[in-house]
Structure formats: C-alpha cells, structure tokens
Amino acid sequence: MGLRFESALWLLLLAPAAAYIVWVWRTATRLSGWRKRIAVGLRGAVAFLLVLALAGLQSFSTIERQAVVFVADRSDSIADDAAIETWIRHAGAAKADDDAAGVVSAGLDAAIEKSPDETGVAGFAFGSAVDKTFTRLDGALQLAETMLPDDASPRIVLLSDGGENVGDVLRQGKLLRDKGIPVDVVPLPPKERRDASVDALTLPEKLYQAEQYALEATVTSTFAGTGTLRIYEDNRELSAERVDLEKGTNRFALRGLAKEQGLHRYRAELYADGDEVSSNNAAYAFSRVAGPPKVLLVEGTPGAAANMAGVLDSGLVPYDVVPPEMLPQELTDYTGYDSIVLADVPATRLSEKRMEMIEQSVRDYGIGLVMTGGEHSFGLGGYFKTPIERALPVYMDLRGKREIPSLALMLVIDKSGSMAGDKIALAQEAASRTVQLMREKDTIGVLAFDSAPWWVVEPQRLTDPKAVTDKINSIAADGGTEIYTAVEQAYAKLRDVDAQRKHIILLTDGQSATNQSYEALAENMVGDNITLSSVAIGDGADTQLLEKIAQLANGRYYFTNDQSTVPAIFSREAVLVSRTYIVDQPFVPAIGQAAEWNGLFAGGLPTINAYIATTPKETAEVALASPEPDPLLARWQYGAGKAVAWTSDLTGKWSGDWVSWGRFPDVFSRIVKWTFPQFQSSPYEVTNRLNGGEATLDVRGGEGYDGELKAIVTDEELNRTEVALEPTAPGEYGGTLPGAKPGVYLTSIERTGEGGERTGAGVTTGFVIPYSPEYRIGGLEGGAEKLAKLAELTGGRVLALDKPEEAFAASASPKRTVRDLSRALLAAALALWLADVAVRRLHVPWRRLARALAPARGARSAAPAASGTAAAALARLRSRAAEAAPPATAARP
C-alpha cells in the first residue's frame, strides 16, 4: 500500500497556503483562546486538503496475479473441439489459486464461454454455437480484451491454425500491444482430410447465339481417385463425366454451344469417391447470350396467340409459343426474352411462383409484358390481387363505374385435418381476396366443415369487410370430411337471401364420409336460381363427385395440384358470377393519350365488338378507350420494364374487323416492340468480395454520370435485395449485400434521381459468390507464420501443443491498482469548512453550560453506587440535621 501524486507540482501551493494560515492567525482579532486555535487549525486543514486534491493524491497497491483468457478457434478448418477442451483444462490446472481463467469461442462471430474468475476451467466444455463457416480472430481477441479484469496481469492465449479469412488479426494485435496485453499463440495443425474441391468454373461472360464456347472446371484434390463431374446450365444437366483425379490441381474442359439467348447460370458439381467435405464441391459462373429480340407467346387456348405470331413473323421477330404449364421455372430463363405476351391465359393455370417471376422480370430486369383479352383473361381470368395485376397498367376490378347485379356468395371451405398447413392458409387468402372483390350491397357467408359444418360468417351484407376477413383467418384445420351436410346448409341459407346472383363455391381436398342424393339437392338449387362451382385440391379429392355436383348445379369444376392457384380460382368465380365484365356492344375506339402511337391510328379505326372491362391505374396512359369509358389499349412503365393491356381478344371473335385490318400487323408489331428493354450500349462491370456473411459489390462504369446508382439483386430463391451504390472513385461505386450465400445472383443496375425514382435504362448483369475460403484447399498456408508474428508483435510466446501448463508459466507483471482520493479529500475539506464556519459564527456560553450540566453529571456518577451505600447516606443526613438543631436545656432538679 502506498501513496502517490498525479501532479506533484501542485504541492508547491503548500508554501502560500502556510503563509495564508499565518496571516489568518494574525488578523483573527475577534477570536481568542481556544476558539482562535480551533478556527485557524480548521482553516489550515481545509487549505491542506485542497492542495492534496489538486495534486491528485492517489493510493495504490501492487498485485501479482494473472488473468488469462483462452481464445479457441472453432471454425470448420479446426480438427477437433474435444482436443481444444482438453488442452484448456490441462492449462488451467497449472494456475495459482488467485489466478483467473476465461474462455472465448471464435468463428465468424465470437461468444463468451466462461468469464475469467478464480474457479478455474477443470470441467470446461464448449457450450456456445458460433458460425463455423468463416474464421475471424480479431473480433474474438477484442472480446477477450474487454473481459480481462483490471486487478490482474492480463494475457490472452490464442489456439488457432491461423487461417484467418475475415478481419485483420495483426491490426488488432497492435491495439493490444499498445494496451500492454501480450498474446500467446498455440498453432493448431490443419485437419487432415480426404478432400476434393471445385475451385473455379470459367467461361466467357458474353456469348452470341450459336457461338461455341469452352467451359473449364478447376478441381483441387488432396488424394488421387475418381469422381463424377456434372455441369449444369440453369439446373439443366449439360454433361456428367467420370473423371480421374490427381493429387493437386486438375483441370477439365468442356465445349458447349450457346443456344438460348439471355442470362444463364452455370454450376459444376463434383462427386468424388471418399471425399469428406461437401461444402466445397460446387462452383458457379454466368454468361449472357446475345441475339435478336425474342418474344415468349403464352396462349391459354390453342390458337389464341396465332394472330400475334403472324404479327411477329411479319416483323421478323423470333418467338416461342408455350401453354401456361410450360412456362420456365427459373428466373434466368425469362431474361432470354425481350417481351412476354399472355394471350387469353387464365390465372388458374399459372402458379403463384411463375406469376412472381414474370412480375419480377418486368420490374427488375426490363422484360416487356403484354396481356390480351378473352373469356379467360384479366378479371375473368382470376388476376385480381396477383403479381401479374401489379405489373399491368389496369386494375382487374370495376371501381364505381357501372351498376353491377347484387351478389350473394357462400364459400364452403373444407377445414379437415388434411387441409392443415399451406392448404388452409391459401384457402383463407382465396376467401379474403374474394371478399375484396365484393361490394357493400352484396351478401357473404362462409361455412367451414369437417365432420360437421360450422358457420364462420353467417350470411350478411358486406358492411365490414375487415371483420369478415378476420373471422376467415381464424379457421383452423382439424377433423374429418362431410361434404353433403355443409352444401345443404349453405343452400338452405342462400335460398332466403334477396340477391340477383346467388352462387356457392365449394373447396375440398378429401372425400365425403357419407353418400347422399346430390342430384336432388342440385335440382333444388337450379330451381332456386342458385349455382355451385367446386374446387378439388390434389389427387385425394373426390374429383368425380365434385365435377358431377358442378355440372348438375350449372357451375364450373376446377382441379388443381398446385394449391397456390386457389386464390385465382376464387377470384375468377366471383367475377364470372356477376356476368358484367364482358362488354359486348360494338363501338369504334376513341384515341387517348399515347403520343407516339397516335400516328398509328390516323385515318380511322375498325370496330370492336366486345372487350373485358377493367379500370386504368392512376399513372397509366390510355391509348384507346371505349364509350364507357373503359381502357381498350393501355400502357405504362413498371420499374425497369414496360407493360401493355389490350382488353379485347386477338382471335377475331371480338375483334374481327381489327384482325382483318390491313394495318393490324404494323400496329401490333409496334406495340410489342415498345415493350422491349432498352439496354445501355456500355453495361456496368460488377465484381464482388466476400467478407464473412456479406459481399461487397464493386461496380465500374457510368463515366460522366453524377447521379446515384442502385443494384437490385435477386438470388436463386427469388429473394430481392436493393443495394445502394455509393461513389468510391470516378466511375466506380460500391455497396454491401448482406446474407450472401454461394451461387449466381442476377443484378439490375439502375440510375436514380434525388427522390429515388428511376431515371435511366437499367442494365441486367450478374455476379458469382463462391463458397467460403474456409473450405478452400491450401487456404491455411502462412497461418503459422501469422500467429508467430502476432506473438512477437504483442510480446507473447509461441506455446507448444504438448505443454499446456506453460500457459500460466509466464511471470506475472506486478499490477498496480490505483485509487483516486480526490473526491474523499474534497468531501473532507467541505466538512471541515462547515466546522470552521460554526466555530467562527456561533457563540456558545461554554462555562455556564458546564455549570448547568455539573449536577446531572454528579447524579449520573452517584447512581451506580446508590444501592450499596444507602445506609451511609442516611447516616450523613441525620448527622447534618443534628448539627443544625438548637442545644437542649438542662432540667432542673
């Protein structure tokens, strides 16, 4: 224990302080005697304490004990956690009783396994979970530093192979050196594995259609053996070859032909006999195949796109014709087309995922979209609230434009146990979407059934759609299946409702437990002008019964194995029942507001006989309109792409005069070409650097552009991320993509204005994120040297793996613990100053007070002896009384 001063020069103030005390003694004429001595003494003590506080008086004690935090590298490149646990336990056994030991786990992140204390690590075992796919040591060292106590000699022991692939451990070492914290290192041997990795897959990033190319896969192996190398293009297998592996680097080449234009993903996968690591068995690449503009024609019925195909033939535009079920299932396949035409395609034949890919292709990658009308298109096709509706320039519902017959709709929904999970969730969405299509004067009822029916929503006017939707979303799936009773109850309720259209939609994925007379029930329904449509989900449904009921009740039957189409089916049914969406009175279209298209319509237009009624969106341009007015031809910009809606058909049934019109091919060729993406002539170059769980994007290009850029990145699971790109140098930008996983990422680079709006044509490209360098063969080279340099930099030691007891063998540097006494000195000075004021200002009659207190003191001192001397006190009292009495007179004889 000792004392020291932080700023000893302040002690020079003691001399003037002493002179001040002498002056106070001489000038304190109002005080005298002991009061003067006390007052001057207090004033001197206050001055002395203040000088000590200014000088920074501190007490200190010297402690000689160690605090060691073990940092254990637990990434996947390390051989065995159990061996590290054993080493730490043996090292802790050599510590002194007052030494402290703690443990930190390191991977991509760091976790505290044990805080440093004197209990030791005798029974230590790892309990925290860390991300083992990367090695980051600097963060673990930083965490260990914060755990070290102040009252011990600090030391960190790092157990690692040195294979750092995130962060900078040497930079952290410099910070620890400056704080006087040495780092001992224990080099761990790399894990010996039979491992073969695909290090790279290379091919030209730009190809032309029908161009031959060379594709090369680089494979590194730690053993000689055999395996199978598979090459995929957009999940389509291009080749599968049996290959011989030599120890070291192997290269395998494949020649290919660029057939389909667009952006393609390539993947090489290796399946080697005896390979112990699967995380490094795949490498990725991408390439854009350029060619002439190409259109994808999707026709809902055979021949629905025949006239559009003739238009494209006349314009020398290549195209593919497919039914809805043959649409691509990969987003990259859509980038091979410049525009997509949906010709009378119902939404019930498009899965939700395919609609999302089409919408995303338009919004993010500039692909065009055209929808043409017919009896299965727009609202009649069930597109209400779908991704396709979001991309088109028109709403599918009619918003306050015409009188629609009142509708009473009963939704009879199977809630048996087989409907649990996605089925019941999609049934709820379908019912909710149907409610949104209805109006306040319509009547809605929702009946759920399992072994017995249960009214979720009693038939009522739709005055509170939210309340109805909330009740629908409360349906839970359980129980058996009984169809007849549910349909019978729905019919009984619906029969008494006053509405112009009455309809039942029945949804089930099972078979009824009983077999009743559906013929009689359907006959009664038809007699009461009630129709019924049925929806069968999956092969387990009684498809024959459901189709029969729909036919008998003058409704429609739907079967789907893709439950995501159920909401579209319900929307289509709600629209079909109203029977008002088809406008079938002939008219000559009125020219609207598409400036560069107005010249196409000069000289008069043919008659249209019918179309599907829709509502134009607020920012859409209506080029041609009906007398209602409804949009016949509308267009707009949607994200990076353009979309067009033609609400009549192109088969000639509704637009016979247009199909035979001499200018028809030129007009519709121009309309389709307007939707083609306008890519820039100098695309941006995108590269990336993997940094743990995120990727840093580096974008070059755009010289002379002073605005902002953003990248819209889409992974293979259609997850969409917007990355803001900040300028880093002239013509160079950078941004960070979180949650990066290995694979090929499609990227749209867009220019944005001050408000974030898109201001220029987008550029579609891609980039590849490889697997973590943690799994790269040979990635640990130089790890031992880096650890030795860290130890030298911080003044630490290189410890042997077979001598764990050396962890606590280093002599502990004496550790001073310092306590600042300034606050205590100031508090004491304040108390003495108050006492000084009291002595000077308060006048107390001490002598009079002493005399007044004297009897009390005497009484208190006599009290303990009173009981023992009572007789003596009584005798003294009598003696005094006798002395005070007058002398007695003698008696005369």
Side-chain angles (χ1 to χ4, degrees):
M1 185 73 177
L3 296 174
R4 72 174 193 178
F5 294 97
E6 187 176 9
S7 303
L9 289 176
W10 287 100
L11 294 176
L12 296 176
L13 292 177
L14 290 175
Y20 169 71
I21 296 304
V22 172
W23 176 81
V24 171
W25 176 265
R26 292 178 177 177
T27 57
T29 57
R30 297 177 58 187
L31 299 176
S32 63
W34 64 268
R35 289 184 65 196
K36 181 177 181 179
R37 291 192 293 272
I38 292 175
V40 174
L42 289 174
R43 185 69 60 89
V46 169
F48 181 68
L49 292 176
L50 290 177
V51 171
L52 292 181
L54 289 172
L57 180 63
Q58 298 174 337
S59 65
F60 66 88
S61 59
T62 303
I63 301 174
E64 295 187 3
R65 77 183 189 102
Q66 296 189 77
V68 176
V69 175
F70 298 95
V71 176
D73 182 355
R74 296 179 58 202
S75 61
D76 279 339
S77 61
I78 299 300
D80 190 3
D81 281 354
I84 299 177
E85 291 172 348
T86 301
W87 196 96
I88 293 175
R89 288 196 293 266
H90 288 169
K95 82 177 189 67
D97 292 340
D98 59 346
D99 290 341
V103 185
V104 169
S105 286
L108 175 59
D109 49 354
I112 298 175
E113 297 283 353
K114 180 184 179 299
S115 297
D117 54 37
E118 299 176 2
T119 60
V121 287
F124 172 73
F126 289 118
S128 299
V130 295
D131 187 344
K132 298 185 176 185
T133 59
F134 292 88
T135 300
R136 181 171 188 174
L137 302 178
D138 59 349
L141 293 180
Q142 184 179 13
L143 177 61
E145 180 227 323
T146 63
M147 297 167 55
L148 290 167
D150 295 332
D151 60 350
S153 178
R155 184 171 295 272
I156 297 174
V157 177
L158 173 62
L159 298 94
S160 175
D161 55 13
E164 177 188 39
N165 43 56
V166 180
D168 188 348
V169 69
L170 294 180
R171 181 177 179 275
Q172 184 63 33
K174 294 178 181 178
L175 298 176
L176 294 175
R177 176 198 61 191
D178 295 340
K179 296 180 180 180
I181 303 175
V183 180
D184 296 342
V185 297
V186 183
L188 300 178
K191 185 184 293 186
E192 295 293 336
R193 297 187 179 102
R194 285 173 58 87
D195 188 11
S197 65
V198 185
D199 293 339
L201 179 65
T202 57
L203 77 160
E205 291 188 3
K206 297 178 182 179
L207 294 169
Y208 290 95
Q209 200 167 14
E211 179 184 358
Q212 287 190 341
Y213 62 89
L215 186 149
E216 183 180 87
T218 303
V219 177
T220 302
S221 178
T222 62
F223 64 95
T226 59
T228 301
L229 182 64
R230 300 179 182 273
I231 306 296
Y232 296 87
E233 180 188 61
D234 299 331
N235 290 331
R236 295 186 294 270
E237 188 176 86
L238 295 181
S239 69
E241 296 183 3
R242 195 71 180 169
V243 296
D244 294 322
L245 298 176
E246 300 292 336
K247 187 174 181 179
T249 302
N250 304 260
R251 288 183 172 83
F252 303 99
L254 172 72
R255 298 201 66 82
L257 181 66
K259 298 179 180 179
E260 301 293 333
Q261 63 189 68
L263 193 65
H264 297 284
R265 294 183 287 107
Y266 295 87
R267 183 174 75 256
E269 292 183 354
L270 177 67
Y271 302 89
D273 302 331
D275 187 9
E276 298 178 2
V277 181
S278 60
S279 301
N280 55 8
N281 288 353
Y284 305 87
F286 76 94
S287 181
R288 173 178 282 281
V289 178
K294 191 175 183 180
V295 175
L296 178 61
L297 296 180
V298 189
E299 54 181 13
T301 55
N307 287 325
M308 182 61 78
V311 168
L312 298 177
D313 284 332
S314 67
L316 302 178
V317 177
Y319 60 86
D320 291 332
V321 181
V322 297
E325 293 77 12
M326 296 302 293
L327 276 169
Q329 300 188 45
E330 297 290 332
L331 180 62
T332 53
D333 292 335
Y334 290 93
T335 64
Y337 297 96
D338 293 83
S339 189
I340 302 168
V341 178
L342 301 177
D344 198 21
V345 178
T348 55
R349 293 174 63 186
L350 293 174
S351 67
E352 188 78 8
K353 183 178 180 180
R354 281 190 170 111
M355 285 194 279
E356 287 176 354
M357 285 190 287
I358 292 174
E359 187 258 350
Q360 199 164 356
S361 298
V362 179
R363 181 191 62 207
D364 296 339
Y365 300 104
I367 310 303
L369 177 64
V370 178
M371 176 176 280
T372 66
E375 294 178 351
H376 307 94
S377 189
F378 293 102
L380 292 179
Y383 285 99
F384 179 69
K385 295 291 184 181
T386 63
I388 298 295
E389 184 192 38
R390 291 200 298 268
L392 288 172
V394 293
Y395 295 111
M396 301 300 156
D397 55 332
L398 306 181
R399 304 194 169 189
K401 297 191 302 180
R402 55 173 57 83
E403 183 65 24
I404 299 176
S406 58
L407 171 65
L409 186 63
M410 299 292 162
L411 306 179
V412 182
I413 299 174
D414 185 352
K415 62 175 286 290
S416 61
S418 59
M419 287 287 290
D422 290 341
K423 287 183 181 178
I424 194 67
L426 286 166
Q428 291 170 343
E429 181 184 345
S432 300
R433 192 181 294 181
T434 303
V435 169
Q436 294 178 47
L437 276 168
M438 301 175 69
R439 298 151 304 151
E440 288 188 4
K441 71 176 183 178
D442 293 334
T443 300
I444 183 68
V446 181
L447 179 66
F449 69 92
D450 43 36
S451 299
W454 164 59
W455 282 102
V456 180
V457 178
E458 290 276 356
Q460 58 186 264
R461 290 291 178 90
L462 191 59
T463 56
D464 190 352
K466 185 179 183 305
V468 172
T469 301
D470 290 343
K471 291 180 180 179
I472 290 171
N473 291 333
S474 69
I475 301 174
D478 56 10
T481 306
E482 169 53 34
I483 298 176
Y484 181 87
T485 307
V487 175
E488 184 181 40
Q489 283 201 18
Y491 160 63
K493 291 279 188 178
L494 188 58
R495 181 178 51 194
D496 299 330
V497 175
D498 182 18
Q500 294 170 286
R501 304 278 191 268
K502 301 180 181 182
H503 189 61
I504 299 173
I505 302 178
L506 168 65
L507 169 72
T508 181
D509 70 340
Q511 303 195 14
S512 183
T514 62
N515 224 350
Q516 306 288 340
S517 177
Y518 289 94
E519 291 84 353
L521 179 61
E523 184 178 354
N524 292 335
M525 292 170 60
V526 172
D528 290 322
N529 292 321
I530 297 175
T531 56
L532 179 146
S533 293
S534 59
V535 183
I537 304 178
D539 298 325
D542 192 341
T543 55
Q544 293 184 350
L545 172 63
L546 294 174
E547 185 174 10
K548 179 181 178 182
I549 296 174
Q551 291 176 347
L552 292 172
N554 293 336
R556 287 157 293 280
Y557 163 72
Y558 300 88
F559 170 79
T560 180
N561 265 324
D562 184 354
Q563 55 206 28
S564 69
T565 63
V566 171
I569 292 173
F570 272 50
S571 298
R572 173 176 166 80
E573 277 298 300
V575 171
L576 285 172
V577 171
S578 66
R579 302 177 189 173
T580 59
Y581 280 66
I582 298 179
V583 181
D584 58 357
Q585 64 179 52
F587 67 94
V588 176
I591 299 175
Q593 55 173 345
E596 72 270 29
W597 285 359
N598 289 344
L600 298 175
F601 311 133
L605 296 172
T607 300
I608 289 291
N609 295 316
Y611 66 95
I612 305 296
T614 59
T615 303
K617 291 183 178 177
E618 292 75 10
T619 58
E621 296 178 317
V622 178
L624 297 176
S626 72
E628 291 297 334
D630 292 323
L632 176 65
L633 178 64
R635 69 178 190 180
W636 78 336
Q637 180 87 35
Y638 182 64
K642 301 174 182 177
V644 173
W646 170 261
T647 59
S648 187
D649 73 340
L650 286 182
T651 62
K653 180 179 179 180
W654 295 349
S655 57
D657 292 345
W658 276 73
V659 171
S660 59
W661 183 34
R663 298 177 58 190
F664 174 77
D666 179 52
V667 169
F668 275 86
S669 176
R670 291 275 299 275
I671 290 173
V672 173
K673 289 179 180 179
W674 179 82
T675 65
F676 288 174
Q678 303 296 315
F679 294 118
Q680 296 189 35
S681 58
S682 299
Y684 295 93
E685 177 186 354
V686 181
T687 58
N688 73 89
R689 292 172 283 113
L690 191 60
N691 184 27
E694 62 183 26
T696 300
L697 304 185
D698 297 315
V699 180
R700 294 184 178 181
E703 289 82 354
Y705 175 62
D706 296 329
E708 297 182 355
L709 292 182
K710 71 176 179 180
I712 299 174
V713 181
T714 306
D715 64 15
E716 297 180 14
E717 299 176 355
L718 301 184
N719 297 316
R720 180 179 184 270
T721 305
E722 289 192 9
V723 179
L725 300 175
E726 302 293 337
T728 57
E732 297 182 9
Y733 301 81
T736 301
L737 174 67
K741 298 178 181 179
V744 176
Y745 289 73
L746 294 184
T747 310
S748 176
I749 308 296
E750 296 184 355
R751 296 178 176 182
T752 58
E754 294 182 358
E757 71 280 0
R758 184 176 178 274
T759 60
V763 174
T764 301
T765 182
F767 61 89
V768 172
I769 292 182
Y771 54 78
S772 168
E774 186 75 19
Y775 308 106
R776 188 171 295 279
I777 297 175
L780 301 180
E781 295 178 0
E785 291 80 359
K786 180 179 287 189
L787 292 177
K789 187 173 181 180
L790 174 65
E792 180 183 0
L793 178 66
T794 60
R797 303 165 296 163
V798 178
L799 304 181
L801 191 59
D802 58 348
K803 296 181 179 180
E805 66 277 2
E806 293 182 348
F808 283 91
S811 59
S813 301
K815 183 80 172 180
R816 278 190 175 184
T817 58
V818 179
R819 181 184 177 188
D820 188 7
L821 301 179
S822 298
R823 293 174 65 91
L825 293 172
L826 291 174
L830 177 62
L832 294 178
W833 175 73
L834 292 175
D836 176 30
V837 172
V839 169
R840 290 172 176 275
R841 300 300 180 186
L842 296 179
H843 179 72
V844 180
W846 298 106
R847 291 182 179 179
R848 190 185 309 167
L849 182 62
R851 285 197 299 270
L853 294 176
R857 286 199 302 268
R860 283 196 299 270
S861 62
S867 60
T869 60
L874 183 60
R876 287 195 299 270
L877 181 62
R878 288 175 178 173
S879 175
R880 292 174 182 171
E883 292 176 354
T889 304
R892 286 184 294 190

